[in-house]
Amino acid sequence: MLTYLLLHTAAWVATAQTVWWEETFLEIMTLGMFLLLIIGIPSLLIAVIAASVHKRMDVVRFRVLLAIPLLLCAWPLLASSAAEPLVFQFMAQIAFAALIPAPLFPKGWLGEAE
């Protein structure tokens, strides 16, 4: 969860530094934190549910398949007049899919027989 928060914040810091909007850095970061509710909560729910039920799939295939719905969670940014927020958020979503522990609960983590 902390990983996603850091990636989302980094995406919005990059957006605030590169976008041509008239808003100040603080206003853009406030928008980013508001979008954390709209983009971040569904992304975290998808990732936690998917990683908790993942048991037999290859890890690389799992991460690629996880990245697809995470990218779809960034749909509110399609209304933006600039491409930077969407690009940076997509990169954050892909990085999160690559960094999430898979499987979240590996076989035998409670001492169960494999």
Side-chain angles (χ1 to χ4, degrees), residues 21-78:
W21 296 336
E22 294 178 6
E23 286 82 8
T24 65
F25 178 82
L26 187 58
E27 291 171 339
I28 294 173
M29 290 304 294
T30 303
L31 174 65
M33 290 304 115
F34 170 71
L35 286 172
L36 181 63
L37 297 174
I38 298 172
I39 297 171
I41 291 175
S43 295
L44 287 172
L45 288 175
I46 290 170
V48 168
I49 291 170
S52 65
V53 298
H54 167 287
K55 298 222 184 337
R56 293 172 289 201
M57 188 182 298
D58 178 50
V59 175
V60 174
R61 180 179 290 163
F62 169 75
R63 290 175 196 267
V64 169
L65 292 175
L66 178 63
I68 294 168
L70 290 181
L71 289 177
L72 294 176
C73 287
W75 67 267
L77 294 174
L78 292 174

Side-chain angles (χ1 to χ4, degrees), residues 61-108:
R61 180 179 290 163
F62 169 75
R63 290 175 196 267
V64 169
L65 292 175
L66 178 63
I68 294 168
L70 290 181
L71 289 177
L72 294 176
C73 287
W75 67 267
L77 294 174
L78 292 174
S80 173
S81 60
E84 290 90 349
L86 185 62
V87 170
F88 290 131
Q89 190 65 46
F90 273 5
M91 290 191 304
Q93 300 291 81
I94 291 169
F96 181 63
L99 293 173
I100 190 167
L104 196 57
F105 304 113
K107 288 182 181 177

